[in-house]
Amino acid sequence: MVDLNNVSLFFLFLTLTFLSLAYFIFQCYSGPPNKNSCPQSYPLVGNLVGFLLNHHRFHDWVADMLSTTPSLTIQVNGFLGLSHGICTANPANLDHLLRSNFSNYVKGTRFRSILHDLLGYGIFNVDGDLWFTQRKIASHEFNTRSLKTFISDTVQYQLSNSLIPYLSTACDNHDVIDLQEVLSRFTFDNICNVAFGVDPAWLDMKRVGETSLVSSFVQAFDYAVEVSFNRFMLPLPAIWKIKRLLNIGSEKRYKEAIEIINEYAMNIIRFKEENCRNDDKQEKNQDLLSRFNHSASNLGFLDQDQKRRFLRDIVISFILAGKDSTSTALTWFFWLIAGHAQCERLIYEELSAASAEARLASFSYDDLKKFNYLHAALSESLRLFPPVPINSRLTISDDILSSGTYVGKGWFADYSAYAMGRMKRLWGPDCLEFRPERWLDDDRVFQPRDQFNFPVFHCGPRTCLGKDMAYVQMKSIAAAVMYEFEVVAIDGGGCRERIANPPYVLSLILKMKGGLPIRLKRR
Ligand code: HEM
Ligand SMILES: *[C@@H]1O[C@H](CO)[C@@H](O)[C@H](O)[C@H]1NC(C)=O
Ligand SMILES: *[C@@H]1O[C@H](CO)[C@@H](O)[C@H](O)[C@H]1NC(C)=O
């Protein structure tokens, strides 16, 4: 999911940049120069640019550093002591940070001030009671079986009405398509259906090229995320605050984008209100927004507008959560499968065995539950390519982690899910191999890992609420696509060497660089 909290990754990134810079300079002045690690010229910008050119390796670089420490934890001291923090890949420390001493590690004020314009008081951006209330409502709603069937029905409907027909056309025309882009449109469509009961018909081919309400919303949303993200990058928060005050440049366009986003979200809410009045059938209102609205009735809102604003924040948070997370996960999955013919065969066999009952490429919620090998393959792909690669908290008071590491008040405390998935000490010497079998017991039944060893969906009280939904989406899409087509990656797919050195973008979400160009072959 798009967790904006992870923008602190950029803070860590900047801090580490400064740290390495300081280190290089220190080396340059204190020892014999080494041509490789210490460039001959010392202009700060020069070194910085050199580092930025290597930033595609950022997560691997962090993983390398973490793996050399006995505690799987590093302390990070910022340039000129401007910031301090730790970064860990140690499961015991994760348990401490995210569960046993949960109240000492929060999102904090910096995130709130930066993200408030976009997220308001939505679940991602708040701590304490404001978070707890929303969490209680949401976790109740997310755990009903009726929601799960609703999700899987919605996914199935969209699969047979938009994705599979779209792919069939591409297949017949021998087109090369960007699977990452196609999947991301699909999941945006899906989150709108599931969360609000509104279909933006985003994949509808007739609409391509047309500027619809939806596409201006998506554009505004992506822009707002980008600007929020850049706010974190600035060395001084005063810069964006002054720009906002003067209403100039990116802050001016940002404000316009926020208006478009809020207007669109409010339209959804008004649309639901009108539909609600004309319609007494309860089954029609299975979507999350209706459920939230129902549960929020007794939260004691002062007036209707206040309640609407609350619902609007919910709408925006869910879009943020559901827009790119599952599509990114699936992109890496298809890439890995394209490079592992044996795994592909095993998945296809599993699907074929079920399809005696399941009609063509349409698998029910109960069918999906039986796919142990597919579940294992998806988990294995998430281990190597967690959509949220690094995450961060702010420390309230001084504390000592399980590994004995000291964390001071006001420090950031980060964990790298990416590094943890690639740690020999956690997964064994074959940790860089894509091997779904490691998740299966002797009877080929899926065995989940302890959450602190596999924090892809976060851990503890703030664990991802959409995990089950994400698996239903991923399994339905993977099953439908793989049952109909063989996906041929133009680059040959994710083999062992590429897994160790993968093409990712350094951003909130671990997207594949340049997308995933593929061709399809019919089964
Ligand atoms: C493969 C897909 C997904 C992954 C890897 C993922 C991962 C995560 C992570 C790491 C967090 C922790 C964020 C933080 O507090 O810092 C989170 C939170 C959350 N996720 Fe997901 N997510 C996925 C899909 C979804 C979907 C489809 C939804 C549904 C709308 C969703 C809803 C949420 C919500 C509501 C939270 C906030 C929980 C809270 O703060 O109490 N996620 N997710
Ligand atoms: C929320 O519930 C109230 C009362 O049940 C209803 O009048 C209103 O239309 C609902 N709003 C939304 C956005 O579903
Ligand atoms: C949790 O953090 C507090 C600081 O707020 C510290 O005093 C306490 O010892 C920690 N608790 C545990 C169980 O480590």
Side-chain angles (χ1 to χ4, degrees), residues 322-355:
K323 205 169 153 311
D324 289 325
S325 51
T326 21
S327 58
T328 306
L330 275 171
T331 302
W332 292 106
F333 168 80
F334 280 115
W335 183 71
L336 287 164
I337 292 297
H340 291 80
Q342 167 74 356
C343 298
E344 192 203 12
R345 197 176 56 74
L346 289 171
I347 294 173
Y348 187 69
E349 279 174 16
E350 192 174 60
L351 302 177
S352 305
S355 70

Side-chain angles (χ1 to χ4, degrees), residues 372-443:
N372 281 279
Y373 190 83
L374 177 58
H375 201 101
L378 284 162
S379 306
E380 180 70 345
S381 160
L382 287 166
R383 172 180 75 84
L384 290 164
F385 298 101
V388 182
I390 191 163
N391 203 342
S392 176
R393 288 296 182 265
L394 182 77
T395 312
I396 301 265
S397 344
D398 298 353
D399 196 9
I400 309 276
L401 301 181
S402 312
S403 62
T405 313
Y406 169 80
V407 198
K409 176 185 159 127
W411 288 23
F412 59 81
D414 291 1
Y415 71 89
S416 166
Y418 183 92
M420 291 183 79
R422 290 161 181 256
M423 216 38 95
K424 279 203 184 74
R425 269 179 273 172
L426 303 182
W427 296 94
D430 67 349
C431 63
L432 289 181
E433 249 143 70
F434 177 71
R435 207 170 59 77
E437 286 74 12
R438 75 174 87 237
W439 295 84
L440 299 172
D441 68 8
D442 294 341
D443 299 322

Side-chain angles (χ1 to χ4, degrees), residues 153-449:
D153 290 352
T154 314
V155 177
Q156 287 307 334
Y157 177 85
Q158 267 180 254
L159 277 170
S160 40
N161 286 284
S162 64
L163 188 65
I164 298 298
Y166 178 82
L167 295 180
S168 295
T169 311
C171 181
D172 295 343
N173 296 340
H174 310 288
D175 288 341
V176 173
I177 54 170
D178 177 1
L179 191 60
Q180 181 163 258
E181 177 67 20
V182 171
L183 289 170
S184 122
R185 288 175 177 208
F186 182 89
T187 50
F188 174 68
D189 214 358
N190 192 235
I191 192 73
C192 289
N193 274 285
V194 169
F196 326 128
V198 175
D199 188 347
W202 184 241
L203 253 186
D204 185 348
M205 283 160 74
K206 275 170 263 149
R207 276 177 169 267
V208 170
E210 215 178 282
T211 25
S212 58
L213 214 63
V214 189
S215 61
S216 54
F217 169 75
V218 169
Q219 246 173 33
F221 198 86
D222 289 344
Y223 185 72
V225 171
E226 186 191 318
V227 173
S228 306
F229 186 69
N230 291 340
R231 283 177 174 182
F232 281 98
M233 298 275 290
L234 296 168
L236 293 171
I239 300 176
W240 70 262
K241 288 187 176 161
I242 291 169
K243 276 171 81 181
R244 182 173 68 174
L245 195 73
L246 300 175
N247 195 25
I248 53 171
S250 58
E251 288 293 330
K252 179 168 187 273
R253 290 191 297 278
Y254 176 78
K255 202 174 152 207
E256 289 157 7
I258 296 287
E259 273 162 24
I260 295 173
I261 294 166
N262 287 344
E263 181 58 26
Y264 188 82
M266 271 304 182
N267 278 342
I268 291 177
I269 288 160
R270 280 189 221 108
F271 174 83
K272 299 294 297 179
E273 285 173 352
E274 276 155 29
N275 269 29
C276 211
R277 242 173 274 141
N278 311 330
D279 188 5
D280 359 70
K281 281 212 198 90
Q282 268 316 55
E283 315 93 75
K284 277 223 154 183
N285 299 311
Q286 292 284 324
D287 61 275
L288 274 169
L289 181 61
S290 302
R291 290 159 184 265
F292 253 87
N293 180 42
H294 185 73
S295 314
S297 294
N298 37 25
L299 278 185
F301 287 105
L302 294 176
D303 55 41
Q304 197 59 28
D305 272 352
Q306 200 187 23
K307 187 175 169 191
R308 280 206 189 109
R309 272 199 301 276
F310 171 74
L311 291 176
R312 184 194 71 194
D313 291 349
I314 303 274
V315 165
I316 293 168
S317 284
F318 282 136
I319 295 179
L320 191 65
K323 205 169 153 311
D324 289 325
S325 51
T326 21
S327 58
T328 306
L330 275 171
T331 302
W332 292 106
F333 168 80
F334 280 115
W335 183 71
L336 287 164
I337 292 297
H340 291 80
Q342 167 74 356
C343 298
E344 192 203 12
R345 197 176 56 74
L346 289 171
I347 294 173
Y348 187 69
E349 279 174 16
E350 192 174 60
L351 302 177
S352 305
S355 70
E357 304 130 60
R359 250 175 294 127
L360 266 179
S362 171
F363 301 98
S364 71
Y365 182 64
D366 291 312
D367 291 325
L368 295 176
K369 279 206 290 201
K370 291 182 216 136
F371 297 153
N372 281 279
Y373 190 83
L374 177 58
H375 201 101
L378 284 162
S379 306
E380 180 70 345
S381 160
L382 287 166
R383 172 180 75 84
L384 290 164
F385 298 101
V388 182
I390 191 163
N391 203 342
S392 176
R393 288 296 182 265
L394 182 77
T395 312
I396 301 265
S397 344
D398 298 353
D399 196 9
I400 309 276
L401 301 181
S402 312
S403 62
T405 313
Y406 169 80
V407 198
K409 176 185 159 127
W411 288 23
F412 59 81
D414 291 1
Y415 71 89
S416 166
Y418 183 92
M420 291 183 79
R422 290 161 181 256
M423 216 38 95
K424 279 203 184 74
R425 269 179 273 172
L426 303 182
W427 296 94
D430 67 349
C431 63
L432 289 181
E433 249 143 70
F434 177 71
R435 207 170 59 77
E437 286 74 12
R438 75 174 87 237
W439 295 84
L440 299 172
D441 68 8
D442 294 341
D443 299 322
R444 315 282 292 168
V445 174
F446 179 80
Q447 294 300 311
R449 281 299 164 117

Side-chain angles (χ1 to χ4, degrees), residues 96 100-101 103-105 396-400:
H96 182 99
S100 60
N101 221 346
S103 57
N104 197 39
Y105 301 94
I396 301 265
S397 344
D398 298 353
D399 196 9
I400 309 276

